[in-house]
Amino acid sequence: MKNFFKKLGALCIALVITVAVPISANAAESARYELPFESSAASYLLVSLDTGEVVFEKDAHTQRTPASLTKMLTTYVAMKYTDDLDATTVTQTTRHTDELYGMNSSTADIRNGETLTMRQLLYAMMLPSGNEAANMVADHIGNGSKSNFCMLMNTEAKRIGCTNTNFSNPHGLFSDNHWTTAWDMYLIAKACYETPGFMDIATTVHYYLPANTRHADKYLISSTVLMQNKSYPSLYRDYIKGIKTGSTEEAGRNFVTVCEADGERYILVVMGAPYYNEDGTQNKTGAFVAAAEIMDHFFSEYSLKPANGLEAPVTEVAMRYVKDKDNLLLYPKSEIYSVLPNSVDESAFQKIFDVPQQVYAPINAGDVVGTVSYYIAGDLVGTTELIAAESYERDTLIYLIEKLKEIVTSLYFKVVVVVTVVLIIALLGFRYWLGKKYEKMQKIHRSTKR
């Protein structure tokens, strides 16, 4: 891609200037809850997309081999740096497949000399986890260099907020210099989820690649996310929405997915589930079993509950200068939610208010009067502004009377009164003294005449 270096250079400069402002925190919060059983996964992480709460977590910051989870970031970079996914084409050459020979790696059966669009390559990467497709994408965007593409991958990972990730290839085959964490994979999955068009690819079960120079007819490729495929009833869960699997002996069984039920959305990361069974046979469903155990338990025991409603006031403050109305009811401007056990209701939330002791009319509906913060077990869940739901005009007579009362009862007024009284007393005293002096002078004057 001709403009690769230009875009990469600009991005690097921006990163230096902004010091890689992350999409989320650099470290996972403490998990709100613990699983009542031991998962077979070495690491797992469940985060609410609606609230950002970490629900379950185990070793989310431990470095692990991602295997083909890598292709999530490869797809993210490809979508970001390709102007037109359907107009951009790539032709496979031997340099895309040479490193894959003899490695028993997953492919999309793209053959030497065949040309596919970038969109078709993304399906080939995300569904059957085609390693040759990942190499083709990297070679094209990296302007003939996978190293350039990996540099771009790591730059984007840092921009997203990853602090413990380094990718040395676009496909995820094992390398000593290729690692990430469950937390960083969550950040990458979240960035992918928010990329327009990504979930259309990630949730596709079957897709046809076109007839080509080596394929006489179109041919079917299928997603490795068996939990979204009804053909596997023991694994299928209707709450599973994509995204990607990844497995090698070194990595174990990995799985990242979006889980949606009853309007609630979560990202689940499972890493390091068993690659082999105890008898030495391959455990091809280990990550799915671990995911099902976690999410079946979660959806049976927990749900997203509101801390408030927009229709009911949460507090009130004294209101002045309004006839027949002494208090102003305050309503939350936005709803606050938290993941709670099904047995718990909104009474579990502790409310901390930041409101004035009193407000003064006129007041307009929608005026922000203060805030309320909601806590669960001492942890801040969220804060929202408090607003007036109704408008109140100022009563002029009440206003004047109240102002007069304020003036009369104010310290300034009391000081003025005291000073005035003192001055009056002093003036009267002075006049009395002048009167006495005048009388004395009159007596002296009369005695002198005699």
Side-chain angles (χ1 to χ4, degrees):
M1 179 174 289
K2 294 181 179 179
N3 61 353
F4 166 77
F5 292 107
K6 182 178 179 180
K7 289 184 177 180
L8 179 58
L11 180 58
C12 291
I13 292 172
L15 283 169
V16 171
I17 294 174
T18 61
V19 198
V21 177
I23 289 177
S24 184
N26 286 332
E29 302 172 8
S30 299
R32 179 65 55 81
Y33 306 105
E34 292 184 2
L35 290 175
F37 54 84
E38 185 65 29
S39 173
S40 60
S43 294
Y44 57 77
L45 178 70
L46 179 65
V47 183
S48 168
L49 278 170
D50 298 300
T51 67
E53 294 171 286
V54 176
V55 184
F56 300 131
E57 180 267 340
K58 175 186 175 183
D59 291 338
H61 295 294
T62 300
Q63 283 186 0
R64 303 206 177 275
T65 301
S68 285
L69 297 185
T70 302
K71 296 184 179 80
M72 291 163 52
L73 185 58
T74 302
T75 300
Y76 174 82
V77 171
M79 297 184 77
K80 182 172 182 177
Y81 286 88
T82 304
D83 295 331
D84 189 329
L85 296 177
D86 297 305
T88 303
T89 59
V90 185
T91 300
Q92 187 188 109
T93 67
T94 55
R95 68 173 180 271
H96 301 136
T97 55
D98 283 348
E99 68 167 313
L100 306 179
Y101 287 134
M103 298 190 68
N104 194 29
S105 69
S106 56
T107 74
D109 197 29
I110 304 170
R111 300 176 185 178
N112 189 35
E114 291 190 330
T115 299
L116 281 78
T117 68
M118 184 63 73
R119 187 182 303 278
Q120 291 163 346
L121 288 175
L122 299 187
Y123 278 97
M125 273 199 300
M126 290 297 295
L127 272 59
S129 202
N131 290 327
E132 82 279 39
N135 280 341
M136 292 169 70
V137 169
D139 185 71
H140 177 76
I141 295 179
N143 201 26
S145 170
K146 282 196 300 182
S147 296
N148 287 342
F149 183 80
C150 290
M151 181 169 60
L152 185 58
M153 290 176 73
N154 290 320
T155 300
E156 285 295 332
K158 288 181 174 61
R159 187 197 63 79
I160 289 168
C162 301
T163 59
N164 205 2
T165 289
N166 187 77
F167 288 164
S168 60
N169 63 61
H171 41 63
L173 292 177
F174 179 74
S175 167
D176 289 334
N177 200 33
H178 195 89
W179 68 82
T180 188
T181 65
W183 177 257
D184 282 2
M185 288 311 307
Y186 151 70
L187 294 178
I188 291 170
K190 182 172 181 287
C192 288
Y193 178 83
E194 294 170 349
T195 299
F198 178 87
M199 290 302 291
D200 293 335
I201 298 172
T203 57
T204 297
V205 178
H206 302 294
Y207 183 81
Y208 279 97
L209 287 178
N212 217 307
T213 54
R214 301 297 180 88
H215 285 93
D217 300 303
K218 65 179 182 179
Y219 64 100
L220 186 70
I221 57 174
S222 299
S223 172
T224 59
V225 181
L226 303 184
M227 293 186 75
Q228 66 176 354
N229 190 337
K230 292 182 179 180
S231 299
Y232 298 86
S234 64
L235 297 175
Y236 176 76
R237 299 292 189 278
D238 60 0
Y239 55 72
I240 293 292
K241 311 299 178 186
I243 295 179
K244 192 72 189 74
T245 63
S247 301
T248 63
E249 287 190 61
E250 297 84 358
R253 304 291 179 179
N254 299 334
F255 181 36
V256 176
T257 187
V258 171
C259 303
E260 296 182 0
D262 299 323
E264 302 176 23
R265 305 169 304 151
Y266 301 87
I267 287 181
L268 173 67
V269 180
V270 171
M271 299 188 74
Y275 190 81
Y276 291 107
N277 295 308
E278 292 183 359
D279 61 3
T281 59
Q282 283 201 30
N283 182 354
K284 295 184 178 181
T285 62
F288 300 141
V289 171
E293 288 176 343
I294 293 171
M295 295 312 301
D296 287 351
H297 169 74
F298 172 79
F299 282 123
S300 68
E301 299 294 332
Y302 301 88
S303 59
L304 204 59
K305 294 179 178 292
N308 57 10
L310 302 183
E311 302 79 17
V314 293
T315 190
E316 60 183 31
V317 294
M319 182 168 56
R320 305 279 297 277
Y321 312 148
V322 178
K323 186 178 181 180
D324 299 329
K325 190 72 174 179
D326 297 325
N327 296 305
L328 175 67
L329 298 178
L330 299 181
Y331 293 74
K333 187 175 182 179
S334 58
E335 290 180 301
I336 301 295
Y337 290 86
S338 183
V339 176
L340 291 175
N342 292 330
S343 59
V344 174
D345 58 25
E346 66 179 57
S347 63
F349 291 93
Q350 178 189 10
K351 296 185 283 287
I352 303 297
F353 295 99
D354 183 8
V355 296
Q357 290 186 337
Q358 56 189 2
V359 294
Y360 305 90
I363 294 169
N364 297 316
D367 283 352
V368 176
V369 178
T371 62
V372 58
S373 297
Y374 295 90
Y375 291 80
I376 288 287
D379 294 328
L380 177 65
V381 174
T383 299
T384 182
E385 294 176 329
L386 294 173
I387 60 174
E390 299 180 8
S391 299
Y392 294 94
E393 296 296 330
R394 182 167 62 193
D395 187 294
T396 303
L397 180 58
I398 294 177
Y399 174 73
L400 293 175
I401 293 173
E402 289 289 328
K403 281 299 180 182
L404 182 59
K405 287 181 181 179
E406 290 177 11
I407 293 173
V408 170
T409 57
S410 68
L411 177 61
Y412 175 79
F413 180 80
K414 292 176 181 178
V415 169
V416 170
V417 170
V418 170
V419 170
T420 301
V421 170
V422 170
L423 289 175
I424 291 173
I425 293 173
L427 179 60
L428 293 174
F430 181 67
R431 291 185 65 181
Y432 177 78
W433 177 77
L434 285 178
K436 289 294 185 180
K437 186 174 182 180
Y438 178 76
E439 290 178 3
K440 184 176 180 181
M441 290 180 66
Q442 287 292 333
K443 288 181 180 180
I444 294 173
H445 180 67
R446 287 193 293 268
S447 63
T448 301
K449 281 185 175 182
R450 293 177 188 168

